[in-house]
């Protein structure tokens, strides 16, 4: 359902993502872990069609992002890093813009928007301009935008960032509810989210995947944090 | 074939409605229209001595259009792409199943429409000259039309400059400089300078790219298709650059 083939992206001489391949199937929630600057967001941007890879390709629900971009993007829900949004719109206006841009059937738009607002739990802020919302609400408006068209593949860059514990629980429940029918790729640097959220973990460091296992396997007899530290320590040492 | 052509403009309507909303949701459009009308009124009455010429036409009114557009329309267009980049929302746009030509045209047409609304608010001027005398209404209608088409060219320059930067002020300054070159190229002062320096042939060549020269043609009551074609070409050129520069985000 989601296949990354040898994705490569360099900024100048530095390879942000280096021949990264990955295949995620329906029902899996893949946690994308790695230190800052490891290439998580760059990889997700390439999947979303925001960045064109130097080499490699992504196939979303059977459509190549390079040769069949619109079909691939129609099958994808994407929450960019930092959840950028139009500050001058209310959440329903923003979702209506996305529905129009995605060319969703006219008769369905209202229902889809209502559903996304309910799922992301933002019904209490529908009359407010997005710019006036707290970080947690903004993140959830971004999430509502990602799930609006009920895509088979979701790519969420730090969806938990800025949420309080109650909001986190709600988002976890939503992801768990959607998981059986979708492919979900989530990046996070909050390790305690991982066992509760993900069925599989890929650790990325310096643009390469250094581990790909279930959260339990990865943690083994140690903690997840120790495994993360061991796997990605090298780049910290090099940076220092 | 046709469908693959029209599919290149996917997202046009969504971008257009969003931008028109954005202009009128914040005070930008209202402030723009008000200040534009006040400035145009001041220049027409004070600068051009509208009532003192003794001739009933709108020439002292239209003569200021290029110069005011040169300042005002880059100000209107400067947010179109720079704001997306500053807020990071261009990442959402690029992740949608739409095409850049659609987004470029949708945004351009939104700003152009606001300019059109401002222009429409000057129609009482036309009524006034008809009360005062009997002007050549065909010439005035044509000049209005040409002024609107020319406004599109200034908006296209502003929008293209906006795609180059995340700072609205930078986009504004850049667009005014480019717009000034296109405008002043037809200024008698500049043209005689060029003629003296490089010969009358060179002055002719420069005047051929001037907005002033092409705009003035309409005021004689002749619809010059050449002038329409010229402004359409300028719009196409800058819309293409706009698309190219916006697409640059995909391959940093």
């Amino acid at each position: 359902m989601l296949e990354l083939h040898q994705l490569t992206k360099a900024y100048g001489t530095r390879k942000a993502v280096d021949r990264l391949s990955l295949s995620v199937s329906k029902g899996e929630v893949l946690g994308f872990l790695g230190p800052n600057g490891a290439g998580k967001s760059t990889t997700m941007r390439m999947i979303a069609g925001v960045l064109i890879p130097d080499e490699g390709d992504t196939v979303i629900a059977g459509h190549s992002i390079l040769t069949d971009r619109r079909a691939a993007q129609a099958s994808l829900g994407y929450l960019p890093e930092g959840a950028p949004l139009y500050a001058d719109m209310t959440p329903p206006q923003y979702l209506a813009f996305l529905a129009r841009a995605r060319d969703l059937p006219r008769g369905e738009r209202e229902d889809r928007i209502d559903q996304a607002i309910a799922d992301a739990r933002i019904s209490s802020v529908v009359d407010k301009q997005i710019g006036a919302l707290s970080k947690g609400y903004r993140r959830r408006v971004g999430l509502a935008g990602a799930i609006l068209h009920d895509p088979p593949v979701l790519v969420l860059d730090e969806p938990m960032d800025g949420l309080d514990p109650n909001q986190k629980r709600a988002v976890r429940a939503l992801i768990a509810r959607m998981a059986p029918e979708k492919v979900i790729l989530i990046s996070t640097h909050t390790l305690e989210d991982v066992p509760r959220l993900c069925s599989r973990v890929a650790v990325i460091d310096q643009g390469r995947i250094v581990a790909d296992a279930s959260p339990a396997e990865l943690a083994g007899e140690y903690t997840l944090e120790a495994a993360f530290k061991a796997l990605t320590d090298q780049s910290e040492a090099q940076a220092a | 074939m046709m469908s693959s052509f029209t599919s290149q403009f996917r997202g046009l309507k969504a971008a257009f409605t969003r931008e028109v909303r954005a202009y009128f949701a914040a005070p930008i459009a209202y402030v723009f229209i008000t200040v534009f009308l006040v400035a145009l009124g001041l220049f027409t009455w004070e600068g051009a001595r509208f009532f003192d010429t003794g001739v009933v036409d709108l020439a002292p009114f239209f003569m200021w259009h290029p110069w005011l557009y040169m300042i005002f329309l880059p100000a209107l267009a400067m947010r179109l792409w720079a704001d997306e980049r500053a807020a990071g929302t261009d990442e959402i746009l690029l992740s949608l199943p739409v095409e850049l030509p659609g987004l470029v045209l949708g945004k351009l047409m939104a700003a152009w429409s606001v300019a059109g609304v401002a222009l429409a608010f000057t129609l009482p001027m036309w009524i006034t000259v008809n009360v005062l005398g009997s002007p050549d209404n065909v010439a005035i209608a044509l000049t209005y039309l040409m002024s609107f088409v020319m406004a599109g060219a200034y908006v296209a320059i502003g929008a293209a400059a906006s795609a180059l930067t995340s700072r609205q002020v930078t986009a504004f300054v850049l667009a005014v400089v480019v717009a000034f070159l296109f405008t002043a190229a037809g200024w008698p002062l500049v043209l005689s300078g060029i003629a003296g320096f490089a010969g009358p042939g060179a002055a002719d060549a420069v005047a051929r790219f001037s907005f002033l020269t092409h705009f003035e043609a309409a005021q004689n009551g002749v619809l010059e298709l050449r002038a329409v074609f010229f402004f359409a070409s300028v719009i196409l050129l800058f819309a293409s650059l706009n698309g190219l520069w916006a697409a640059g985000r995909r391959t940093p």
Side-chain angles (χ1 to χ4, degrees), chain A residues 9-11 41 45 48-53 69-71 73-74 76 78 80-81 83-86 88-90 93-94 97-98 100-103 106 129, chain B residues 7-8 10-11 13-15 17-19 21-23 25-26 79 84 87-100 103 107 249-252:
Chain A
K9 184 79 199 172
Y11 296 115
S41 291
R45 285 190 181 114
V50 172
L51 279 183
I52 296 174
R69 180 174 57 78
R70 280 208 312 267
Q73 288 179 324
L76 178 76
Y78 175 53
E81 184 183 24
L85 296 162
Y86 293 110
D88 57 7
M89 295 176 122
T90 65
Q93 284 167 351
Y94 171 65
F97 160 72
L98 291 180
R100 194 178 281 126
R102 288 191 171 279
D103 210 11
R106 265 168 206 286
Q129 285 207 335
Chain B
S7 73
Q8 285 303 305
R10 260 174 206 261
K13 217 174 138 195
T17 41
R18 202 210 92 71
E19 296 302 337
R21 251 201 50 77
Y23 278 123
R79 52 168 288 280
E84 301 268 5
T89 43
D90 53 347
E91 200 167 336
I92 291 172
L93 287 185
L94 293 176
S95 76
L96 292 172
V98 296
E99 297 291 339
L100 274 171
L103 298 178
K107 282 170 174 281
R249 284 286 279 166
R250 283 206 161 107
T251 50

